[in-house]
């Protein structure tokens, strides 16, 4: 066999290695599946699954502790049926769950500040480690409170929620959102927020299912004080310079935060409300509530993980219009990057010539923000309609139906994160994520406290379904407020410093 001697015409890359492209393609696919972004989604799923296991049993054990407390001051139960099926016990359980929700959300608000500081101090990885370790300690104290039982057990259970100030669910979700936002392109940021929340909801769903059946079987940038409170400064008015040179003050981030606050305030109590209402009116136990919450969270997770990114992608094309963008793209002259020495222009000013840089397409960053804001608004409308009709439920299957329909209005939070991050400069995006998460936490704190007391009062009256109508009303109010949030004027530039030009408040 003749051996070919290499010469000047021999290719540097051998043509016989035809398997190299296949190997490269396989490596690319493996890198995509097991890439950093998907590993973050898996971490969110596992953490949510672990925490979700205890959520359904919490309502059950509080009901048992309230039942024991009730019969220590009343005659023993004599008769058939569930001895804990009394209005006084249902109201007491609703109060305890409300207090628990308030303490958990109150701790979560402070946890966001502390975890945000940890991220800037240590980075997302070690901040995540601190949050998960402290969450394990908090669950251990809950086990201790349930074991002791009675009023003492309730006090231990409630008091140890203070551990959540340093490490809690809000903190680990903030870490994951911050980390994943730094790993994807700007145009994919809104979709990946939805996928992450979908992964968390799927983990929560299987946690609810496991917890319910288990009970049946047993039955960035800156540090210090300024960096600590940086998320608060994001939700303020900001100045924009128009093409005419005038400076306007835009309050879109304020109204966006207020609209999301009202939306979470309206719908944040819905999962607990469905369980409490089904338990008091239709005698749902842990198994039924476990299936209800599993279906609710599973559908929400699937929606956010699979359907939400597609809706955002298709919706942006529909909202912006493909024809206009195509015409603009063809009308713009192609930027020429010189590759030969003679192509460079002579430098006349004596300055050092700069390397030509092809600027990124500005439309790549914010072309989809308009649809994201549109999506946030109308998600609240769908949420209010489902919640309103849930108040007319007269059978258990109708509660299941409401629980399975509500998830289709659950994309407002990740879409709002996408809008918030696009309206902020890159260096403030981690603080923007903290800000919107802080707004959600404060709304959850108030809704679980206020609507928990409202549900308890309506339960005493024998009309707990009225709570659904209150929730629907606040969702509509949030929808109206979001119409006061709009995108900055076209071709304007955000300026955060003082400007001496004329200011116009908008």
């Amino acid at each position: 066999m003749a051996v070919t001697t290499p010469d000047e015409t021999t290719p540097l890359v051998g043509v016989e290695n035809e398997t190299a492209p296949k190997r490269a393609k396989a490596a690319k696919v493996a890198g995509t599946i097991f890439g950093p972004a998907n590993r973050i989604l898996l971490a969110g799923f596992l953490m949510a699954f672990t925490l979700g296991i205890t959520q359904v049993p919490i309502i059950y054990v509080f009901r048992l502790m309230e039942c024991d407390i009730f019969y220590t001051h009343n005659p023993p139960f004599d008769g058939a049926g569930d001895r804990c099926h009394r209005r006084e016990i249902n109201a007491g359980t609703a109060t305890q769950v409300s207090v628990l929700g308030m303490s958990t959300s109150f701790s979560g608000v402070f946890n966001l500040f502390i975890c945000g500081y940890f991220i800037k101090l240590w980075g997302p990885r070690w901040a995540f480690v601190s949050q998960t370790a402290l969450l394990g300690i908090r669950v251990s104290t809950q086990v201790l409170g349930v074991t002791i039982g009675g009023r003492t057990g309730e006090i231990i259970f409630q008091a140890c929620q203070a551990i959540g100030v340093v490490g809690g669910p809000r903190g680990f979700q903030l870490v994951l959102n911050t980390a994943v936002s730094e790993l994807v392109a700007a145009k994919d940021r809104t979709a990946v927020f939805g996928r992450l929340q979908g992964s968390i909801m799927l983990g929560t769903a299987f946690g609810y299912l496991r917890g319910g059946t288990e009970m049946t079987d047993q039955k960035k940038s800156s540090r210090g004080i300024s960096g600590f409170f940086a998320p608060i400064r994001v939700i303020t008015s900001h100045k924009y310079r128009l093409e005419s040179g005038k400076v306007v003050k835009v309050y879109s981030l304020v109204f966006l935060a207020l609209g999301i606050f009202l939306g979470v305030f309206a719908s944040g109590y819905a999962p607990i409300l469905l369980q409490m209402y089904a338990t008091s009116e239709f005698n749902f136990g842990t198994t039924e509530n476990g299936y209800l919450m599993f279906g609710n969270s599973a559908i929400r997770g699937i929606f956010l993980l699979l359907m939400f990114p597609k809706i955002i992608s298709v919706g942006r094309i529909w909202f912006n219009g493909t024809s206009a963008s195509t015409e603009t793209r063809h009308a713009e002259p192609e930027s020429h990057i010189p590759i030969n020495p003679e192509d460079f222009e002579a430098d006349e000013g004596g300055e050092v010539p700069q390397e030509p840089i092809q600027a990124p397409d500005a439309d790549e960053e914010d072309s989809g923000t308009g649809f994201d804001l549109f999506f946030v608004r109308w998600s609240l409308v769908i949420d209010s309609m489902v919640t309103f009709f849930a108040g007319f439920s007269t059978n258990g299957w109708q509660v299941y139906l409401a629980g399975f329909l509500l998830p289709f209005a659950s994309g407002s939070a990740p879409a709002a994160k996408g809008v918030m991050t696009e309206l902020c400069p890159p260096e403030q995006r981690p603080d923007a994520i903290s800000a919107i998460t802080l707004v959600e936490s404060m709304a959850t704190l108030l809704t679980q406290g206020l609507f928990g007391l409202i549900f308890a009062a309506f339960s005493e009256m024998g009309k707990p379904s009225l709570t659904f109508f209150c929730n629907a009303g606040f969702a509509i109010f949030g929808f109206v407020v979001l119409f006061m949030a709009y995108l900055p004027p076209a071709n304007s530039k955000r300026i955060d410093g003082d400007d001496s030009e004329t200011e116009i408040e908008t």
Side-chain angles (χ1 to χ4, degrees):
M1 181 177 180
V3 179
T4 303
T5 303
D7 56 17
E8 296 177 350
T9 62
T10 304
L12 295 177
V13 180
V15 295
E16 68 276 7
N17 190 11
E18 299 178 355
T19 60
K22 296 181 179 180
R23 293 177 182 175
K25 184 177 180 180
K28 183 178 180 181
V29 172
T32 302
I33 297 176
F34 302 104
N38 285 339
R39 292 202 300 269
I40 291 177
L41 300 184
L42 178 61
F45 174 85
L46 294 175
M47 281 299 301
F49 172 76
T50 304
L51 296 175
I53 291 176
T54 63
Q55 296 307 302
V56 173
I58 280 178
I59 297 179
Y60 176 74
V61 297
F62 266 121
R63 188 166 184 259
L64 290 183
M65 288 190 286
E66 280 294 315
C67 188
D68 293 337
I69 294 170
F70 176 81
Y71 284 110
T72 57
H73 304 288
N74 292 276
F77 177 76
D78 184 16
D82 184 7
R83 74 186 188 103
C84 298
H85 188 62
R86 297 181 62 95
R87 288 184 179 179
E88 299 90 340
I89 297 175
N90 289 335
T93 304
T95 302
Q96 288 296 325
V97 173
S98 174
V99 172
L100 177 67
M102 289 179 62
S103 62
T104 302
S105 300
F106 189 76
S107 301
V109 170
F110 288 97
N111 180 224
L112 287 174
F113 289 102
I114 294 177
C115 184
Y117 183 73
F118 285 169
I119 293 174
K120 296 174 181 178
L121 190 64
W122 302 329
R125 178 174 299 179
W126 287 107
F128 183 74
V129 171
S130 68
Q131 299 304 297
T132 54
L134 290 167
L135 275 171
I137 296 175
R138 195 184 72 172
V139 172
S140 300
T141 61
Q142 293 176 348
V143 173
L144 176 63
V146 172
T147 303
I148 294 175
R151 186 66 70 190
T152 304
E154 288 183 344
I155 294 174
I156 294 175
F157 203 110
Q158 301 281 17
C160 291
Q161 293 301 107
I163 298 175
V165 172
V166 185
R170 291 292 181 182
F172 94 80
Q173 292 183 34
L174 172 62
V175 174
L176 296 181
N177 274 288
T178 302
V180 79
S181 68
E182 298 174 354
L183 296 174
V184 298
K187 62 185 180 64
D188 299 326
R189 196 173 288 125
T190 300
V192 82
F193 285 148
R195 293 178 60 207
L196 176 58
Q197 187 170 349
S199 300
I200 293 174
M201 293 312 303
L202 276 179
T204 303
F206 285 100
Y208 281 146
L209 182 63
R210 178 64 176 171
T213 56
E214 189 80 14
M215 287 299 299
T216 302
D217 295 337
Q218 294 179 0
K219 186 156 184 179
K220 240 102 222 238
S221 51
S222 58
R223 299 181 182 178
I225 298 298
S226 60
F228 189 84
F229 292 104
I232 298 179
R233 297 199 304 270
V234 174
I235 313 175
T236 57
S237 61
H238 296 280
K239 298 176 183 178
Y240 285 83
R241 181 182 290 111
L242 304 180
E243 285 185 300
S244 62
K246 293 182 179 180
V247 177
V248 299
K249 189 175 289 186
V250 179
Y251 295 87
S252 293
L253 292 180
V254 178
F255 289 117
L256 175 64
L258 181 58
I260 292 301
F261 176 89
L262 292 171
V264 176
F265 184 77
S267 60
Y269 191 68
I272 298 177
L273 177 59
L274 288 172
Q275 295 180 75
M276 299 295 297
Y277 181 73
T279 300
S280 62
E281 296 298 311
F282 307 116
N283 296 324
F284 273 29
T286 55
T287 301
E288 292 83 0
N289 277 330
Y291 289 143
L292 173 63
M293 289 296 97
F294 167 76
N296 178 273
S297 300
I299 294 175
R300 180 176 299 180
I302 294 172
F303 171 77
L304 292 173
L305 196 61
L306 302 179
M307 299 175 63
F308 176 77
K310 187 66 175 178
I311 292 174
I312 292 296
S313 177
V314 175
R316 285 176 171 179
I317 296 175
W318 164 77
F319 191 84
N320 295 328
T322 55
S323 58
S325 60
T326 303
E327 293 174 3
T328 303
R329 190 180 300 111
H330 287 301
E332 294 178 353
E334 294 184 359
S335 57
H336 175 66
I337 301 179
I339 58 176
N340 299 315
E342 60 270 15
D343 294 335
F344 287 89
E345 296 181 359
D347 180 35
E348 300 178 355
E351 297 180 356
V352 178
Q354 300 295 320
E355 181 181 355
I357 299 175
Q358 185 174 7
D361 187 4
D363 193 61
E364 183 87 358
E365 285 276 337
D366 56 7
S367 62
T369 310
F371 176 76
D372 295 354
L373 185 58
F374 174 87
F375 184 87
V376 173
R377 292 167 179 163
W378 289 98
S379 292
L380 294 185
V381 175
I382 299 175
D383 182 271
S384 64
M385 293 176 61
V386 177
T387 305
F388 178 79
F389 287 109
F392 296 100
S393 300
T394 56
N395 294 287
W397 67 267
Q398 295 170 341
V399 176
Y400 279 112
L401 180 62
F404 296 163
L405 290 177
L406 280 174
F408 292 100
S410 60
S412 58
K417 287 187 177 74
V419 176
M420 183 75 78
T421 54
E422 292 304 324
L423 293 181
C424 294
E427 65 274 9
Q428 291 186 0
R429 281 170 182 165
D431 293 328
I433 297 174
S434 300
I436 201 69
T437 309
L438 175 64
V439 169
E440 294 173 5
S441 298
M442 294 178 65
T444 304
L445 167 64
L446 291 179
T447 189
Q448 291 184 351
L450 178 60
F451 279 110
L453 298 178
I454 292 175
F455 180 80
F458 285 152
S459 295
E460 290 281 0
M461 297 168 53
K463 298 180 179 179
S465 61
L466 295 179
T467 314
F468 288 100
F469 305 138
C470 296
N471 283 337
F474 277 101
I476 291 296
F477 187 33
F479 168 75
V480 174
V481 170
L482 282 173
F483 267 97
M484 291 184 280
Y486 56 90
L487 300 181
N491 300 321
S492 61
K493 181 180 180 182
R494 174 170 165 172
I495 50 175
D496 289 325
D498 295 332
D499 198 290
S500 58
E501 300 181 57
T502 305
E503 291 187 14
I504 304 175
E505 293 191 358
T506 61

